[in-house]
Amino acid sequence: QVQLVESGGDLVQPGGSLRLSCAASGFTFSGYAMSWYRQAPGKERELVATITSTGGSTNYADSVKGRFTISRDSAKNMVYLQMNSLKPEDTAVYYCTARRSSLTVPTYWGQGTQVTVSS
C-alpha cells in the first residue's frame, strides 16, 4: 500500500521557519522524483520544489527560491522541505508527491499539511 504522509505544518509568524516532512512507503523510493506542491484557498495548485530520484538536482518555484530547500533521505524514505523567511502568501496546504522518473505528472499524492503564516 502506497503512502505519503506529510507532517510539520503549523501556524508561524512572518519571518519564521518550518520544516515539513514526508514519509514514503509502499513503492521503490529511489525510482521516484519527489516534489512539494501547495494550494491556497481560491488559488491554483502550485509546484513549489522538486528533487530528482538521485537527489542530485533540485528545482524551485520563483516565489520560494532562496527561502525554501528540498532534500531527501533515501535511507529513511523521507523528503523534507525547509521553509525560511516565511511570508503570509506562503499560507497553503502543502502536498508531498512522488513521480516516476519517466513521467511528467505525479504518480502518488499525500493528504497534505496546513501551513499558516500570520501574526
Side-chain angles (χ1 to χ4, degrees):
Q1 179 184 359
V2 172
Q3 282 193 309
L4 293 172
V5 181
E6 302 98 332
S7 61
D10 205 346
L11 170 64
V12 62
Q13 292 188 342
S17 297
L18 278 178
R19 187 197 198 202
L20 304 184
S21 299
C22 172
S25 61
F27 62 99
T28 306
F29 186 71
S30 61
Y32 287 73
M34 302 298 293
S35 297
W36 288 94
Y37 284 76
R38 68 185 180 186
Q39 189 163 23
K43 294 189 176 181
E44 291 189 357
R45 188 169 56 203
E46 177 186 20
L47 174 58
V48 175
T50 297
I51 187 165
T52 56
S53 57
T54 62
S57 181
T58 57
N59 284 290
Y60 299 92
D62 288 343
S63 58
V64 307
K65 209 169 285 185
R67 299 188 298 122
F68 290 11
T69 302
I70 189 170
S71 61
R72 64 191 293 160
D73 184 338
S74 293
K76 297 180 179 179
N77 284 9
M78 295 289 294
V79 181
Y80 306 99
L81 186 68
Q82 178 66 43
M83 306 186 294
N84 299 327
S85 302
L86 283 161
K87 306 175 181 180
E89 51 264 43
D90 294 318
T91 296
V93 177
Y94 284 72
Y95 299 91
C96 175
T97 72
R99 174 176 57 81
R100 197 172 290 179
S101 298
S102 59
L103 302 179
T104 59
V105 295
T107 311
Y108 306 119
W109 289 79
Q111 84 288 349
T113 186
Q114 176 70 48
V115 172
T116 303
V117 185
S118 175
S119 54

